[in-house]
PDB file of all heavy atoms in Angstrom:
ATOM      1  N   HIS B   1     128.401 115.660  94.279  1.00  0.00           N
ATOM      2  CA  HIS B   1     128.840 116.573  93.218  1.00  0.00           C
ATOM      3  C   HIS B   1     130.356 116.719  93.216  1.00  0.00           C
ATOM      4  O   HIS B   1     130.988 116.808  92.156  1.00  0.00           O
ATOM      5  CB  HIS B   1     128.172 117.941  93.396  1.00  0.00           C
ATOM      6  CG  HIS B   1     128.389 118.872  92.249  1.00  0.00           C
ATOM      7  ND1 HIS B   1     129.504 119.685  92.147  1.00  0.00           N
ATOM      8  CD2 HIS B   1     127.646 119.107  91.135  1.00  0.00           C
ATOM      9  CE1 HIS B   1     129.439 120.379  91.036  1.00  0.00           C
ATOM     10  NE2 HIS B   1     128.320 120.045  90.398  1.00  0.00           N
ATOM     11  N   GLU B   2     130.936 116.712  94.395  1.00  0.00           N
ATOM     12  CA  GLU B   2     132.391 116.805  94.499  1.00  0.00           C
ATOM     13  C   GLU B   2     133.066 115.504  94.043  1.00  0.00           C
ATOM     14  O   GLU B   2     134.128 115.536  93.406  1.00  0.00           O
ATOM     15  CB  GLU B   2     132.794 117.123  95.937  1.00  0.00           C
ATOM     16  CG  GLU B   2     134.296 117.286  96.152  1.00  0.00           C
ATOM     17  CD  GLU B   2     134.647 117.641  97.579  1.00  0.00           C
ATOM     18  OE1 GLU B   2     133.746 118.117  98.319  1.00  0.00           O
ATOM     19  OE2 GLU B   2     135.803 117.433  97.974  1.00  0.00           O
ATOM     20  N   LYS B   3     132.437 114.367  94.353  1.00  0.00           N
ATOM     21  CA  LYS B   3     133.030 113.076  94.000  1.00  0.00           C
ATOM     22  C   LYS B   3     133.044 112.841  92.491  1.00  0.00           C
ATOM     23  O   LYS B   3     134.060 112.447  91.915  1.00  0.00           O
ATOM     24  CB  LYS B   3     132.269 111.941  94.685  1.00  0.00           C
ATOM     25  CG  LYS B   3     132.521 111.817  96.176  1.00  0.00           C
ATOM     26  CD  LYS B   3     131.694 110.672  96.768  1.00  0.00           C
ATOM     27  CE  LYS B   3     131.976 110.480  98.252  1.00  0.00           C
ATOM     28  NZ  LYS B   3     131.137 109.394  98.833  1.00  0.00           N
ATOM     29  N   ASP B   4     131.910 113.024  91.834  1.00  0.00           N
ATOM     30  CA  ASP B   4     131.821 112.729  90.396  1.00  0.00           C
ATOM     31  C   ASP B   4     130.552 113.359  89.827  1.00  0.00           C
ATOM     32  O   ASP B   4     129.517 112.693  89.703  1.00  0.00           O
ATOM     33  CB  ASP B   4     131.813 111.216  90.165  1.00  0.00           C
ATOM     34  CG  ASP B   4     132.044 110.845  88.705  1.00  0.00           C
ATOM     35  OD1 ASP B   4     131.716 111.664  87.829  1.00  0.00           O
ATOM     36  OD2 ASP B   4     132.548 109.736  88.454  1.00  0.00           O
ATOM     37  N   PRO B   5     130.610 114.635  89.461  1.00  0.00           N
ATOM     38  CA  PRO B   5     129.397 115.321  88.988  1.00  0.00           C
ATOM     39  C   PRO B   5     128.799 114.704  87.725  1.00  0.00           C
ATOM     40  O   PRO B   5     127.575 114.670  87.568  1.00  0.00           O
ATOM     41  CB  PRO B   5     129.860 116.752  88.753  1.00  0.00           C
ATOM     42  CG  PRO B   5     131.346 116.671  88.617  1.00  0.00           C
ATOM     43  CD  PRO B   5     131.769 115.542  89.496  1.00  0.00           C
ATOM     44  N   LYS B   6     129.640 114.194  86.825  1.00  0.00           N
ATOM     45  CA  LYS B   6     129.117 113.613  85.586  1.00  0.00           C
ATOM     46  C   LYS B   6     128.345 112.329  85.871  1.00  0.00           C
ATOM     47  O   LYS B   6     127.242 112.127  85.347  1.00  0.00           O
ATOM     48  CB  LYS B   6     130.268 113.335  84.605  1.00  0.00           C
ATOM     49  CG  LYS B   6     130.941 114.582  84.063  1.00  0.00           C
ATOM     50  CD  LYS B   6     132.033 114.264  83.069  1.00  0.00           C
ATOM     51  CE  LYS B   6     131.473 113.638  81.808  1.00  0.00           C
ATOM     52  NZ  LYS B   6     132.527 113.432  80.779  1.00  0.00           N
ATOM     53  N   LEU B   7     128.909 111.453  86.715  1.00  0.00           N
ATOM     54  CA  LEU B   7     128.245 110.193  87.042  1.00  0.00           C
ATOM     55  C   LEU B   7     126.919 110.436  87.738  1.00  0.00           C
ATOM     56  O   LEU B   7     125.886 109.863  87.356  1.00  0.00           O
ATOM     57  CB  LEU B   7     129.153 109.341  87.939  1.00  0.00           C
ATOM     58  CG  LEU B   7     128.506 108.090  88.542  1.00  0.00           C
ATOM     59  CD1 LEU B   7     128.067 107.121  87.456  1.00  0.00           C
ATOM     60  CD2 LEU B   7     129.451 107.415  89.531  1.00  0.00           C
ATOM     61  N   TYR B   8     126.919 111.300  88.750  1.00  0.00           N
ATOM     62  CA  TYR B   8     125.722 111.461  89.564  1.00  0.00           C
ATOM     63  C   TYR B   8     124.695 112.389  88.933  1.00  0.00           C
ATOM     64  O   TYR B   8     123.536 112.401  89.351  1.00  0.00           O
ATOM     65  CB  TYR B   8     126.117 111.910  90.972  1.00  0.00           C
ATOM     66  CG  TYR B   8     126.959 110.857  91.671  1.00  0.00           C
ATOM     67  CD1 TYR B   8     128.262 111.112  92.093  1.00  0.00           C
ATOM     68  CD2 TYR B   8     126.453 109.574  91.861  1.00  0.00           C
ATOM     69  CE1 TYR B   8     129.031 110.135  92.697  1.00  0.00           C
ATOM     70  CE2 TYR B   8     127.216 108.589  92.461  1.00  0.00           C
ATOM     71  CZ  TYR B   8     128.503 108.866  92.883  1.00  0.00           C
ATOM     72  OH  TYR B   8     129.251 107.872  93.465  1.00  0.00           O
ATOM     73  N   THR B   9     125.096 113.117  87.890  1.00  0.00           N
ATOM     74  CA  THR B   9     124.109 113.805  87.064  1.00  0.00           C
ATOM     75  C   THR B   9     123.464 112.814  86.109  1.00  0.00           C
ATOM     76  O   THR B   9     122.237 112.797  85.930  1.00  0.00           O
ATOM     77  CB  THR B   9     124.763 114.949  86.271  1.00  0.00           C
ATOM     78  OG1 THR B   9     125.279 115.925  87.173  1.00  0.00           O
ATOM     79  CG2 THR B   9     123.744 115.617  85.353  1.00  0.00           C
ATOM     80  N   ALA B  10     124.298 111.964  85.507  1.00  0.00           N
ATOM     81  CA  ALA B  10     123.802 110.988  84.531  1.00  0.00           C
ATOM     82  C   ALA B  10     122.829 109.994  85.146  1.00  0.00           C
ATOM     83  O   ALA B  10     121.835 109.611  84.511  1.00  0.00           O
ATOM     84  CB  ALA B  10     124.973 110.255  83.879  1.00  0.00           C
ATOM     85  N   ASN B  11     123.089 109.552  86.377  1.00  0.00           N
ATOM     86  CA  ASN B  11     122.195 108.551  86.974  1.00  0.00           C
ATOM     87  C   ASN B  11     121.030 109.163  87.760  1.00  0.00           C
ATOM     88  O   ASN B  11     120.231 108.455  88.370  1.00  0.00           O
ATOM     89  CB  ASN B  11     122.975 107.574  87.857  1.00  0.00           C
ATOM     90  CG  ASN B  11     123.554 108.204  89.118  1.00  0.00           C
ATOM     91  OD1 ASN B  11     123.261 109.350  89.462  1.00  0.00           O
ATOM     92  ND2 ASN B  11     124.396 107.441  89.818  1.00  0.00           N
ATOM     93  N   GLY B  12     120.930 110.488  87.731  1.00  0.00           N
ATOM     94  CA  GLY B  12     119.766 111.160  88.309  1.00  0.00           C
ATOM     95  C   GLY B  12     119.841 111.462  89.787  1.00  0.00           C
ATOM     96  O   GLY B  12     118.911 112.062  90.344  1.00  0.00           O
ATOM     97  N   LEU B  13     120.942 111.091  90.457  1.00  0.00           N
ATOM     98  CA  LEU B  13     121.013 111.312  91.904  1.00  0.00           C
ATOM     99  C   LEU B  13     121.045 112.794  92.260  1.00  0.00           C
ATOM    100  O   LEU B  13     120.401 113.222  93.229  1.00  0.00           O
ATOM    101  CB  LEU B  13     122.231 110.611  92.499  1.00  0.00           C
ATOM    102  CG  LEU B  13     122.148 109.093  92.672  1.00  0.00           C
ATOM    103  CD1 LEU B  13     123.364 108.582  93.425  1.00  0.00           C
ATOM    104  CD2 LEU B  13     120.870 108.682  93.392  1.00  0.00           C
ATOM    105  N   LEU B  14     121.790 113.587  91.512  1.00  0.00           N
ATOM    106  CA  LEU B  14     121.866 115.013  91.848  1.00  0.00           C
ATOM    107  C   LEU B  14     120.525 115.699  91.628  1.00  0.00           C
ATOM    108  O   LEU B  14     120.122 116.564  92.426  1.00  0.00           O
ATOM    109  CB  LEU B  14     122.960 115.695  91.027  1.00  0.00           C
ATOM    110  CG  LEU B  14     124.400 115.281  91.366  1.00  0.00           C
ATOM    111  CD1 LEU B  14     125.396 116.059  90.515  1.00  0.00           C
ATOM    112  CD2 LEU B  14     124.698 115.491  92.851  1.00  0.00           C
ATOM    113  N   ASN B  15     119.810 115.310  90.595  1.00  0.00           N
ATOM    114  CA  ASN B  15     118.479 115.875  90.375  1.00  0.00           C
ATOM    115  C   ASN B  15     117.534 115.474  91.511  1.00  0.00           C
ATOM    116  O   ASN B  15     116.763 116.312  92.015  1.00  0.00           O
ATOM    117  CB  ASN B  15     117.926 115.388  89.041  1.00  0.00           C
ATOM    118  CG  ASN B  15     116.565 115.976  88.743  1.00  0.00           C
ATOM    119  OD1 ASN B  15     116.421 117.186  88.556  1.00  0.00           O
ATOM    120  ND2 ASN B  15     115.541 115.132  88.690  1.00  0.00           N
ATOM    121  N   MET B  16     117.602 114.207  91.925  1.00  0.00           N
ATOM    122  CA  MET B  16     116.766 113.732  93.022  1.00  0.00           C
ATOM    123  C   MET B  16     117.074 114.476  94.321  1.00  0.00           C
ATOM    124  O   MET B  16     116.168 114.931  95.030  1.00  0.00           O
ATOM    125  CB  MET B  16     116.985 112.238  93.222  1.00  0.00           C
ATOM    126  CG  MET B  16     116.202 111.614  94.360  1.00  0.00           C
ATOM    127  SD  MET B  16     116.722 109.914  94.723  1.00  0.00           S
ATOM    128  CE  MET B  16     118.288 110.225  95.556  1.00  0.00           C
ATOM    129  N   LEU B  17     118.352 114.638  94.630  1.00  0.00           N
ATOM    130  CA  LEU B  17     118.741 115.325  95.860  1.00  0.00           C
ATOM    131  C   LEU B  17     118.403 116.807  95.801  1.00  0.00           C
ATOM    132  O   LEU B  17     118.063 117.415  96.828  1.00  0.00           O
ATOM    133  CB  LEU B  17     120.233 115.122  96.115  1.00  0.00           C
ATOM    134  CG  LEU B  17     120.615 113.693  96.533  1.00  0.00           C
ATOM    135  CD1 LEU B  17     122.099 113.440  96.307  1.00  0.00           C
ATOM    136  CD2 LEU B  17     120.247 113.448  97.989  1.00  0.00           C
ATOM    137  N   GLY B  18     118.490 117.380  94.598  1.00  0.00           N
ATOM    138  CA  GLY B  18     118.074 118.767  94.447  1.00  0.00           C
ATOM    139  C   GLY B  18     116.605 118.945  94.778  1.00  0.00           C
ATOM    140  O   GLY B  18     116.218 119.933  95.413  1.00  0.00           O
ATOM    141  N   ARG B  19     115.786 117.993  94.353  1.00  0.00           N
ATOM    142  CA  ARG B  19     114.367 118.012  94.730  1.00  0.00           C
ATOM    143  C   ARG B  19     114.205 117.843  96.232  1.00  0.00           C
ATOM    144  O   ARG B  19     113.470 118.589  96.886  1.00  0.00           O
ATOM    145  CB  ARG B  19     113.626 116.885  94.008  1.00  0.00           C
ATOM    146  CG  ARG B  19     112.170 116.709  94.440  1.00  0.00           C
ATOM    147  CD  ARG B  19     111.663 115.313  94.140  1.00  0.00           C
ATOM    148  NE  ARG B  19     112.379 114.293  94.909  1.00  0.00           N
ATOM    149  CZ  ARG B  19     112.349 113.001  94.613  1.00  0.00           C
ATOM    150  NH1 ARG B  19     111.673 112.576  93.563  1.00  0.00           N
ATOM    151  NH2 ARG B  19     113.020 112.131  95.372  1.00  0.00           N
ATOM    152  N   ASN B  20     114.895 116.846  96.787  1.00  0.00           N
ATOM    153  CA  ASN B  20     114.721 116.532  98.207  1.00  0.00           C
ATOM    154  C   ASN B  20     115.051 117.706  99.111  1.00  0.00           C
ATOM    155  O   ASN B  20     114.365 117.951 100.109  1.00  0.00           O
ATOM    156  CB  ASN B  20     115.605 115.343  98.587  1.00  0.00           C
ATOM    157  CG  ASN B  20     115.157 114.039  97.944  1.00  0.00           C
ATOM    158  OD1 ASN B  20     114.114 113.985  97.304  1.00  0.00           O
ATOM    159  ND2 ASN B  20     115.949 113.000  98.113  1.00  0.00           N
ATOM    160  N   ARG B  21     116.114 118.435  98.787  1.00  0.00           N
ATOM    161  CA  ARG B  21     116.510 119.534  99.673  1.00  0.00           C
ATOM    162  C   ARG B  21     115.538 120.708  99.606  1.00  0.00           C
ATOM    163  O   ARG B  21     115.608 121.606 100.448  1.00  0.00           O
ATOM    164  CB  ARG B  21     117.939 119.976  99.380  1.00  0.00           C
ATOM    165  CG  ARG B  21     118.202 120.495  97.996  1.00  0.00           C
ATOM    166  CD  ARG B  21     119.687 120.802  97.807  1.00  0.00           C
ATOM    167  NE  ARG B  21     119.978 121.334  96.477  1.00  0.00           N
ATOM    168  CZ  ARG B  21     121.173 121.740  96.087  1.00  0.00           C
ATOM    169  NH1 ARG B  21     122.202 121.677  96.922  1.00  0.00           N
ATOM    170  NH2 ARG B  21     121.356 122.208  94.870  1.00  0.00           N
ATOM    171  N   GLN B  22     114.622 120.684  98.621  1.00  0.00           N
ATOM    172  CA  GLN B  22     113.554 121.675  98.575  1.00  0.00           C
ATOM    173  C   GLN B  22     112.328 121.225  99.360  1.00  0.00           C
ATOM    174  O   GLN B  22     111.390 122.000  99.550  1.00  0.00           O
ATOM    175  CB  GLN B  22     113.155 121.949  97.118  1.00  0.00           C
ATOM    176  CG  GLN B  22     114.276 122.488  96.246  1.00  0.00           C
ATOM    177  CD  GLN B  22     114.828 123.813  96.746  1.00  0.00           C
ATOM    178  OE1 GLN B  22     114.063 124.698  97.139  1.00  0.00           O
ATOM    179  NE2 GLN B  22     116.146 123.948  96.761  1.00  0.00           N
ATOM    180  N   VAL B  23     112.341 119.967  99.800  1.00  0.00           N
ATOM    181  CA  VAL B  23     111.187 119.408 100.513  1.00  0.00           C
ATOM    182  C   VAL B  23     111.401 119.425 102.022  1.00  0.00           C
ATOM    183  O   VAL B  23     110.535 119.848 102.783  1.00  0.00           O
ATOM    184  CB  VAL B  23     110.893 117.971 100.030  1.00  0.00           C
ATOM    185  CG1 VAL B  23     109.762 117.336 100.850  1.00  0.00           C
ATOM    186  CG2 VAL B  23     110.534 117.966  98.551  1.00  0.00           C
ATOM    187  N   LYS B  24     112.578 118.942 102.468  1.00  0.00           N
ATOM    188  CA  LYS B  24     112.876 118.966 103.900  1.00  0.00           C
ATOM    189  C   LYS B  24     114.381 118.885 104.104  1.00  0.00           C
ATOM    190  O   LYS B  24     115.148 118.753 103.150  1.00  0.00           O
ATOM    191  CB  LYS B  24     112.154 117.832 104.633  1.00  0.00           C
ATOM    192  CG  LYS B  24     112.606 116.427 104.274  1.00  0.00           C
ATOM    193  CD  LYS B  24     111.880 115.414 105.176  1.00  0.00           C
ATOM    194  CE  LYS B  24     112.499 114.033 105.070  1.00  0.00           C
ATOM    195  NZ  LYS B  24     111.913 113.076 106.030  1.00  0.00           N
ATOM    196  N   TRP B  25     114.829 118.951 105.370  1.00  0.00           N
ATOM    197  CA  TRP B  25     116.253 119.084 105.678  1.00  0.00           C
ATOM    198  C   TRP B  25     117.056 117.851 105.305  1.00  0.00           C
ATOM    199  O   TRP B  25     118.109 117.949 104.676  1.00  0.00           O
ATOM    200  CB  TRP B  25     116.426 119.394 107.162  1.00  0.00           C
ATOM    201  CG  TRP B  25     117.867 119.586 107.563  1.00  0.00           C
ATOM    202  CD1 TRP B  25     118.605 120.732 107.435  1.00  0.00           C
ATOM    203  CD2 TRP B  25     118.738 118.602 108.142  1.00  0.00           C
ATOM    204  NE1 TRP B  25     119.885 120.537 107.903  1.00  0.00           N
ATOM    205  CE2 TRP B  25     120.003 119.232 108.340  1.00  0.00           C
ATOM    206  CE3 TRP B  25     118.583 117.270 108.515  1.00  0.00           C
ATOM    207  CZ2 TRP B  25     121.090 118.558 108.894  1.00  0.00           C
ATOM    208  CZ3 TRP B  25     119.655 116.601 109.055  1.00  0.00           C
ATOM    209  CH2 TRP B  25     120.900 117.242 109.241  1.00  0.00           C
ATOM    210  N   GLY B  26     116.596 116.674 105.746  1.00  0.00           N
ATOM    211  CA  GLY B  26     117.400 115.482 105.509  1.00  0.00           C
ATOM    212  C   GLY B  26     116.618 114.207 105.763  1.00  0.00           C
ATOM    213  O   GLY B  26     115.489 114.236 106.268  1.00  0.00           O
ATOM    214  N   PRO B  27     117.197 113.054 105.421  1.00  0.00           N
ATOM    215  CA  PRO B  27     116.516 111.765 105.594  1.00  0.00           C
ATOM    216  C   PRO B  27     116.345 111.390 107.063  1.00  0.00           C
ATOM    217  O   PRO B  27     117.275 111.517 107.857  1.00  0.00           O
ATOM    218  CB  PRO B  27     117.432 110.769 104.866  1.00  0.00           C
ATOM    219  CG  PRO B  27     118.774 111.438 104.839  1.00  0.00           C
ATOM    220  CD  PRO B  27     118.518 112.908 104.775  1.00  0.00           C
ATOM    221  N   GLU B  28     115.143 110.922 107.390  1.00  0.00           N
ATOM    222  CA  GLU B  28     114.810 110.511 108.756  1.00  0.00           C
ATOM    223  C   GLU B  28     114.504 109.015 108.775  1.00  0.00           C
ATOM    224  O   GLU B  28     114.000 108.459 107.806  1.00  0.00           O
ATOM    225  CB  GLU B  28     113.580 111.269 109.259  1.00  0.00           C
ATOM    226  CG  GLU B  28     113.732 112.769 109.297  1.00  0.00           C
ATOM    227  CD  GLU B  28     112.422 113.446 109.679  1.00  0.00           C
ATOM    228  OE1 GLU B  28     112.069 113.426 110.867  1.00  0.00           O
ATOM    229  OE2 GLU B  28     111.741 113.967 108.768  1.00  0.00           O
ATOM    230  N   ARG B  29     114.783 108.382 109.902  1.00  0.00           N
ATOM    231  CA  ARG B  29     114.553 106.944 110.041  1.00  0.00           C
ATOM    232  C   ARG B  29     113.264 106.687 110.813  1.00  0.00           C
ATOM    233  O   ARG B  29     113.034 107.246 111.893  1.00  0.00           O
ATOM    234  CB  ARG B  29     115.744 106.294 110.759  1.00  0.00           C
ATOM    235  CG  ARG B  29     115.699 104.769 110.794  1.00  0.00           C
ATOM    236  CD  ARG B  29     117.042 104.203 111.260  1.00  0.00           C
ATOM    237  NE  ARG B  29     117.040 102.738 111.201  1.00  0.00           N
ATOM    238  CZ  ARG B  29     116.893 101.950 112.261  1.00  0.00           C
ATOM    239  NH1 ARG B  29     116.744 102.483 113.477  1.00  0.00           N
ATOM    240  NH2 ARG B  29     116.898 100.641 112.125  1.00  0.00           N
ATOM    241  N   TRP B  30     112.405 105.828 110.257  1.00  0.00           N
ATOM    242  CA  TRP B  30     111.117 105.508 110.877  1.00  0.00           C
ATOM    243  C   TRP B  30     111.285 105.044 112.318  1.00  0.00           C
ATOM    244  O   TRP B  30     110.560 105.489 113.219  1.00  0.00           O
ATOM    245  CB  TRP B  30     110.398 104.430 110.062  1.00  0.00           C
ATOM    246  CG  TRP B  30     109.237 103.835 110.794  1.00  0.00           C
ATOM    247  CD1 TRP B  30     109.273 102.803 111.687  1.00  0.00           C
ATOM    248  CD2 TRP B  30     107.874 104.281 110.740  1.00  0.00           C
ATOM    249  NE1 TRP B  30     108.006 102.555 112.179  1.00  0.00           N
ATOM    250  CE2 TRP B  30     107.140 103.447 111.619  1.00  0.00           C
ATOM    251  CE3 TRP B  30     107.205 105.267 110.029  1.00  0.00           C
ATOM    252  CZ2 TRP B  30     105.768 103.591 111.797  1.00  0.00           C
ATOM    253  CZ3 TRP B  30     105.835 105.410 110.217  1.00  0.00           C
ATOM    254  CH2 TRP B  30     105.140 104.587 111.087  1.00  0.00           C
ATOM    255  N   GLN B  31     112.223 104.149 112.551  1.00  0.00           N
ATOM    256  CA  GLN B  31     112.373 103.549 113.880  1.00  0.00           C
ATOM    257  C   GLN B  31     112.791 104.569 114.932  1.00  0.00           C
ATOM    258  O   GLN B  31     112.648 104.314 116.133  1.00  0.00           O
ATOM    259  CB  GLN B  31     113.386 102.403 113.828  1.00  0.00           C
ATOM    260  CG  GLN B  31     112.907 101.200 113.026  1.00  0.00           C
ATOM    261  CD  GLN B  31     113.243 101.286 111.540  1.00  0.00           C
ATOM    262  OE1 GLN B  31     113.492 102.383 111.022  1.00  0.00           O
ATOM    263  NE2 GLN B  31     113.277 100.146 110.862  1.00  0.00           N
ATOM    264  N   ASP B  32     113.305 105.713 114.511  1.00  0.00           N
ATOM    265  CA  ASP B  32     113.707 106.772 115.447  1.00  0.00           C
ATOM    266  C   ASP B  32     112.605 107.796 115.684  1.00  0.00           C
ATOM    267  O   ASP B  32     112.771 108.708 116.501  1.00  0.00           O
ATOM    268  CB  ASP B  32     114.961 107.481 114.934  1.00  0.00           C
ATOM    269  CG  ASP B  32     116.146 106.539 114.798  1.00  0.00           C
ATOM    270  OD1 ASP B  32     116.246 105.594 115.602  1.00  0.00           O
ATOM    271  OD2 ASP B  32     116.971 106.748 113.882  1.00  0.00           O
ATOM    272  N   TRP B  33     111.500 107.673 114.961  1.00  0.00           N
ATOM    273  CA  TRP B  33     110.398 108.630 115.092  1.00  0.00           C
ATOM    274  C   TRP B  33     109.721 108.441 116.445  1.00  0.00           C
ATOM    275  O   TRP B  33     109.294 107.354 116.802  1.00  0.00           O
ATOM    276  CB  TRP B  33     109.395 108.424 113.965  1.00  0.00           C
ATOM    277  CG  TRP B  33     108.189 109.312 114.033  1.00  0.00           C
ATOM    278  CD1 TRP B  33     108.110 110.551 114.604  1.00  0.00           C
ATOM    279  CD2 TRP B  33     106.890 109.024 113.503  1.00  0.00           C
ATOM    280  NE1 TRP B  33     106.841 111.058 114.463  1.00  0.00           N
ATOM    281  CE2 TRP B  33     106.071 110.148 113.787  1.00  0.00           C
ATOM    282  CE3 TRP B  33     106.351 107.944 112.807  1.00  0.00           C
ATOM    283  CZ2 TRP B  33     104.734 110.200 113.401  1.00  0.00           C
ATOM    284  CZ3 TRP B  33     105.024 108.003 112.422  1.00  0.00           C
ATOM    285  CH2 TRP B  33     104.218 109.119 112.712  1.00  0.00           C
ATOM    286  N   GLN B  34     109.623 109.532 117.192  1.00  0.00           N
ATOM    287  CA  GLN B  34     108.929 109.514 118.479  1.00  0.00           C
ATOM    288  C   GLN B  34     107.468 109.869 118.240  1.00  0.00           C
ATOM    289  O   GLN B  34     107.073 111.038 118.270  1.00  0.00           O
ATOM    290  CB  GLN B  34     109.589 110.497 119.455  1.00  0.00           C
ATOM    291  CG  GLN B  34     111.019 110.113 119.827  1.00  0.00           C
ATOM    292  CD  GLN B  34     111.638 111.107 120.785  1.00  0.00           C
ATOM    293  OE1 GLN B  34     111.926 112.253 120.426  1.00  0.00           O
ATOM    294  NE2 GLN B  34     111.848 110.676 122.014  1.00  0.00           N
ATOM    295  N   ILE B  35     106.667 108.853 118.009  1.00  0.00           N
ATOM    296  CA  ILE B  35     105.261 109.058 117.671  1.00  0.00           C
ATOM    297  C   ILE B  35     104.533 109.728 118.830  1.00  0.00           C
ATOM    298  O   ILE B  35     104.669 109.330 119.982  1.00  0.00           O
ATOM    299  CB  ILE B  35     104.599 107.707 117.330  1.00  0.00           C
ATOM    300  CG1 ILE B  35     105.262 107.099 116.090  1.00  0.00           C
ATOM    301  CG2 ILE B  35     103.095 107.878 117.094  1.00  0.00           C
ATOM    302  CD1 ILE B  35     104.837 105.682 115.797  1.00  0.00           C
ATOM    303  N   GLY B  36     103.774 110.753 118.510  1.00  0.00           N
ATOM    304  CA  GLY B  36     103.018 111.487 119.514  1.00  0.00           C
ATOM    305  C   GLY B  36     103.770 112.621 120.165  1.00  0.00           C
ATOM    306  O   GLY B  36     103.186 113.409 120.922  1.00  0.00           O
TER     307      GLY B  36
END
């Protein structure tokens, strides 16, 4: 949003991230998951 609000609103990234932050804290990597 700080870099370019018009660009990232137009391409849907800000809407996507707005959804994501309502789901969980942040992106996690599969290979780092400690299963069990």
Side-chain angles (χ1 to χ4, degrees):
H1 189 274
E2 182 178 341
K3 287 179 177 178
D4 193 333
K6 292 182 66 175
L7 171 62
Y8 297 119
T9 297
N11 68 9
L13 284 187
L14 292 182
N15 182 65
M16 178 190 74
L17 289 161
R19 174 203 64 196
N20 292 353
R21 61 184 181 177
Q22 300 300 317
V23 175
K24 66 175 192 174
W25 182 83
E28 300 174 76
R29 188 168 184 258
W30 167 275
Q31 292 88 339
D32 299 327
W33 177 27
Q34 295 180 291
I35 297 171

